[in-house]
Amino acid sequence: AFHFVWKRASGDLMLTADVTWVGPGRNAHRKACLLIRQNLDPGSPYVDAVLHGDGLTSLQCRAEAQGPTREIQANLSSPRTLRLERCGDTAWMSVKGPDGRFHPTGGAFQVPFQDPVYVGLGVCAHDNRVTEQALFSNVHLEFQPHHTSTNPRLVSTLEVIDIASKDRRASYCTTNHIEAPNWSPDGSFLLFNR
């Protein structure tokens, strides 16, 4: 129940699109994604920026062929515009905020891609008995010379990690420096320095 439209690409890149689900859907885990894959094999290494049917927004990856999928869940729901960026072996996601600017959602994955890769748009019903539809508009694929900037941008993310799955949930993301997170004594909140 996965459909993928792609083109071959090499080097650092940025894929941006507005994403809207068509219809109410049958499964909350259906996925509309911006995707980079090593190849077209079912167990291919990949990274994607994904909008689930229930609004969950995540950066997902499989770093090695046939390996497990890992996830970093963003601390926001149902953004209209997603962006997936690749710089070397590192990939991250950002979303357009109400101010019209793109903001990082926290975290990044390292996937050792070999050029060329397959980059494109995917839809997964998460149920092989149904077909789901998503609308991708304002799609832009750009190649990124600006990653070599002499003014790098700091992004700090506070994450909670599930020990069993190693999946991560971004609790707080900022372009300021943060450090030394600690749980409150009752485990209901986190404290950190900034």
Side-chain angles (χ1 to χ4, degrees):
F2 173 70
H3 300 273
F4 180 41
V5 58
W6 51 266
K7 68 181 293 179
R8 301 289 297 269
S10 295
D12 296 347
L13 57 88
M14 180 171 65
L15 178 61
T16 306
D18 293 343
V19 182
T20 307
W21 283 108
V22 177
R26 308 248 326 262
N27 190 313
H29 294 290
R30 65 185 173 153
K31 297 171 178 68
C33 52
L34 284 56
L35 183 63
I36 302 169
R37 293 179 66 91
Q38 182 62 64
N39 55 52
L40 299 177
D41 297 341
S44 172
Y46 77 91
V47 64
D48 66 11
V50 61
L51 175 64
H52 293 76
D54 62 0
L56 175 67
T57 308
S58 302
L59 180 68
Q60 301 177 144
C61 92
R62 180 185 300 127
E64 58 188 41
Q66 305 301 325
T69 291
R70 300 289 184 224
E71 178 178 52
I72 304 171
Q73 297 176 354
N75 64 350
L76 52 89
S77 182
S78 301
R80 175 152 172 83
T81 307
L82 300 176
R83 175 174 283 168
L84 178 63
E85 295 187 61
R86 173 195 179 200
C87 181
D89 289 344
T90 304
W92 63 93
M93 175 178 66
S94 55
V95 297
K96 187 183 284 186
D99 61 1
R101 296 175 48 214
F102 281 91
H103 301 277
T105 59
F109 282 119
Q110 299 239 323
V111 181
F113 288 121
Q114 300 296 314
D115 283 331
V117 294
Y118 292 79
V119 59
L121 310 172
V123 176
C124 176
H126 213 275
D127 180 342
N128 63 6
R129 297 166 296 178
V130 299
T131 300
E132 296 285 1
Q133 295 182 22
L135 175 65
F136 296 89
S137 57
N138 299 315
V139 177
H140 298 279
L141 175 60
E142 301 173 44
F143 296 92
Q144 292 289 290
H146 76 268
H147 287 305
T148 58
S149 170
T150 56
N151 297 316
R153 183 173 158 196
L154 172 72
V155 176
S156 295
T157 304
L158 181 64
E159 298 177 342
V160 177
I161 302 172
D162 181 286
I163 298 301
S165 70
K166 298 183 181 60
D167 286 341
R168 298 147 54 186
R169 172 99 179 145
S171 298
Y172 180 71
C173 186
T174 180
T175 54
N176 296 312
H177 177 80
I178 64 173
E179 62 185 9
N182 289 285
W183 285 104
S184 66
D186 66 358
S188 64
F189 60 90
L190 287 159
L191 300 167
F192 57 89
N193 298 330
R194 74 172 185 183

